[in-house]
């Protein structure tokens, strides 16, 4: 009886509603040829990194992590996507639409989420681009595990080639990516609206000219589109008002963080936790999690090498117990 209750597709939603936001268990690193998991909880709740490890095929790389799911993309021909649920120990391989799997198409990112009323289902957004003679065309489509099919492919024409984007941020019901557009590598925001399945590009405030990994898309207090621009140990916040008008939304001083990072002048943003509304900052002294509401921070690793971090938050039994969903494959089916 207990196993049938836990296997019910609605159990996870009821469990989440009862307990609130899932805890931050650790993060996956963008590190070839694998994406190791680095736990952060104290014992006895600390999860061994090997428990969330997986052998990847050559050419796969992590591109997103959200709602207890991890997304990988194989960029070579015969491209594939892999949706992995580490807690359920389940995987789902997706075939890329044939229109986007050819030599002219450069696939560069994707994003994954569980819809609020999905009862265990998931969605994957796929972004690709084709470099044509004098412009670039960006393509996007959406996969639903409930129907098992990809949506109609939407596209948007740009006047120049775009560089590899940083990981996505979910704002409302839209995925947003930061893109760098040559020749001056000015950042723009590519937004994929999941309801309308439409693509739009928004230019950033002219005052914001950030070096790589000094800028991150973050939600505003009312859940709208915002950015944080990091300059040494100070952050400038901006929010987009109706009509695509950007308004300065305040400054943040990280003086306490500066004192913990002696001799470090150039911290970098290497990740963002949507569940905690916190940026992950890489310094010579390690990686710190900085909460944007309270301005509190805590050190989460001593790692000195640069890696993109993908925070992983999910409900998981404490101690040495087995995963909550180990007995069922109903989460990704």
């Amino acid at each position: 009886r207990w196993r049938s209750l836990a296997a019910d597709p609605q159990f996870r939603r009821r469990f989440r509603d009862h307990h609130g936001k899932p805890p931050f268990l650790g993060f996956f690193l963008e590190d070839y040829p694998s994406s190791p998991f680095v736990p952060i909880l104290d014992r006895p709740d600390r999860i061994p990194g090997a428990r969330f490890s997986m052998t990847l095929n050559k050419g796969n790389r992590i591109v997103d992590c959200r709602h207890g799911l991890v997304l990988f993309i194989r960029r070579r021909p015969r491209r594939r996507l892999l949706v992995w649920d580490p807690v359920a120990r389940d995987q789902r391989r997706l075939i890329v639409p044939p229109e986007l799997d050819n030599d002219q198409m450069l696939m560069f990112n994707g994003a994954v989420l569980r819809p609020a009323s999905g009862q265990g289902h998931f969605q994957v957004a796929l972004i690709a681009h084709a470099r044509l003679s004098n412009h670039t065309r960006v393509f996007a489509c959406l996969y639903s595990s409930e129907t098992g099919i990809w949506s109609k492919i939407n596209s948007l024409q740009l006047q120049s080639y775009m560089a590899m984007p940083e990981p996505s941020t979910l704002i409302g019901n839209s995925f947003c990516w930061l893109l760098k557009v040559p020749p001056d590598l000015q950042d723009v925001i590519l937004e994929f609206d999941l309801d309308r399945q439409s693509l739009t590009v928004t230019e950033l405030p002219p005052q914001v000219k950030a070096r790589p990994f000094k800028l991150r898309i973050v939600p505003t207090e009312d859940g709208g589109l915002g950015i944080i621009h990091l300059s040494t140990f100070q952050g400038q916040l901006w929010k987009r008002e109706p009509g695509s008008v950007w308004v300065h939304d305040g400054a943040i001083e990280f003086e306490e963080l500066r004192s913990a990072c002696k001799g470090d002048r150039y911290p970098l943003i290497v990740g963002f936790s949507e569940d905690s509304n916190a940026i992950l900052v890489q310094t010579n002294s390690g990686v710190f999690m900085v909460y944007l509401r309270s301005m509190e921070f805590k050190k989460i690793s001593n790692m000195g090498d640069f890696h993109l971090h993908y925070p992983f938050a999910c409900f998981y039994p404490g101690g040495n117990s087995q995963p909550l969903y180990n007995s069922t494959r109903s989460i990704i089916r």
Side-chain angles (χ1 to χ4, degrees):
R1 180 184 178 187
W2 280 108
R3 184 162 65 176
S4 66
L5 289 173
D8 187 332
Q10 298 187 36
F11 174 78
R12 190 184 186 110
R13 177 181 56 79
R14 294 195 299 265
F15 189 83
R16 182 177 63 246
D17 293 344
H18 175 72
H19 290 280
K21 290 184 178 181
F24 178 33
L25 303 182
F27 48 85
F28 291 92
L29 296 178
E30 185 181 57
D31 186 18
Y32 301 103
S34 64
S35 296
F37 177 75
V38 180
I40 65 166
L41 296 180
D42 296 328
R43 299 184 186 280
D45 297 327
R46 188 179 183 87
I47 299 168
R51 184 165 291 183
F52 283 176
S53 65
M54 182 178 65
T55 302
L56 297 174
N57 294 327
K58 187 176 181 180
N60 282 350
R61 69 181 183 94
I62 185 172
V63 293
D64 200 30
C65 183
R66 183 178 291 104
H67 299 166
L69 299 174
V70 188
L71 179 65
F72 300 90
I73 285 182
R74 188 173 71 188
R75 301 179 61 193
R76 297 187 174 189
R78 294 183 60 82
R79 298 174 173 97
R80 297 290 185 270
L81 295 98
L82 173 65
V83 180
W84 179 38
D85 187 328
V87 174
R89 299 181 180 179
D90 208 346
Q91 302 176 19
R92 179 73 175 267
R93 288 175 171 81
L94 308 180
I95 298 175
V96 172
E99 300 92 329
L100 302 182
D101 193 7
N102 56 64
D103 294 337
Q104 293 181 338
M105 197 69 61
L106 301 176
M107 185 174 313
F108 56 85
N109 221 296
V112 64
L113 86 163
R114 297 184 197 265
S117 58
Q119 298 183 0
H121 298 296
F122 65 89
Q123 292 179 322
V124 172
L126 178 64
I127 304 294
H129 77 279
R131 195 184 314 174
L132 305 177
S133 58
N134 58 355
H135 66 273
T136 295
R137 194 154 198 93
V138 183
F139 301 85
C141 56
L142 186 67
Y143 176 86
S144 170
S145 67
E146 187 172 12
T147 62
I149 61 175
W150 290 94
S151 69
K152 176 183 175 182
I153 298 175
N154 292 274
S155 66
L156 176 71
Q157 181 173 314
L158 299 178
Q159 297 304 313
S160 61
Y161 166 70
M162 293 186 306
M164 184 79 69
E166 298 181 18
S168 69
T169 302
L170 183 63
I171 303 293
N173 203 33
S174 295
F175 284 126
C176 299
W177 292 267
L178 274 173
L179 305 175
K180 290 189 178 297
V181 180
D184 58 355
L185 294 181
Q186 175 66 36
D187 290 277
V188 298
I189 294 176
L190 177 68
E191 183 175 349
F192 183 36
D193 188 309
L194 302 183
D195 292 329
R196 302 174 183 174
Q197 296 191 21
S198 59
L199 282 169
T200 56
V201 169
T202 301
E203 294 185 356
L204 296 186
Q207 302 93 322
V208 176
K209 296 184 182 297
R211 296 168 57 192
F213 307 106
K214 291 287 190 176
L215 194 65
R216 190 74 186 208
I217 299 172
V218 297
T220 60
E221 290 191 8
D222 58 0
L225 178 61
I227 57 172
I228 180 170
H229 176 205
L230 195 63
S231 175
T232 60
F233 287 92
Q234 183 186 70
Q236 300 290 333
L237 293 171
W238 295 79
K239 64 178 179 180
R240 187 182 64 174
E241 298 286 4
S244 297
V245 177
W246 287 98
V247 177
H248 188 254
D249 200 28
I252 302 173
E253 298 287 346
F254 301 130
E255 287 302 323
E256 293 185 12
L257 181 60
R258 184 198 296 268
S259 63
C261 305
K262 296 181 179 178
D264 198 319
R265 299 175 55 193
Y266 304 106
L268 302 174
I269 302 176
V270 295
F272 176 65
S273 173
E274 295 175 353
D275 297 280
S276 304
N277 193 29
I279 57 174
L280 276 65
V281 177
Q282 174 86 58
T283 72
N284 291 336
S285 303
V287 179
F288 293 81
M289 195 166 181
V290 183
Y291 297 88
L292 299 181
R293 291 287 182 267
S294 64
M295 287 303 99
E296 297 178 347
F297 70 92
K298 67 177 180 180
K299 192 173 186 178
I300 59 176
S301 82
N302 293 316
M303 190 173 303
D305 296 334
F306 177 87
H307 294 281
L308 286 178
H309 289 55
Y310 293 82
F312 183 76
C314 190
F315 290 112
Y316 194 92
N320 296 321
S321 55
Q322 293 297 312
L324 183 61
Y325 305 105
N326 194 36
S327 62
T328 177
R329 296 175 62 87
S330 66
I331 296 179
I332 303 178
R333 184 178 292 271

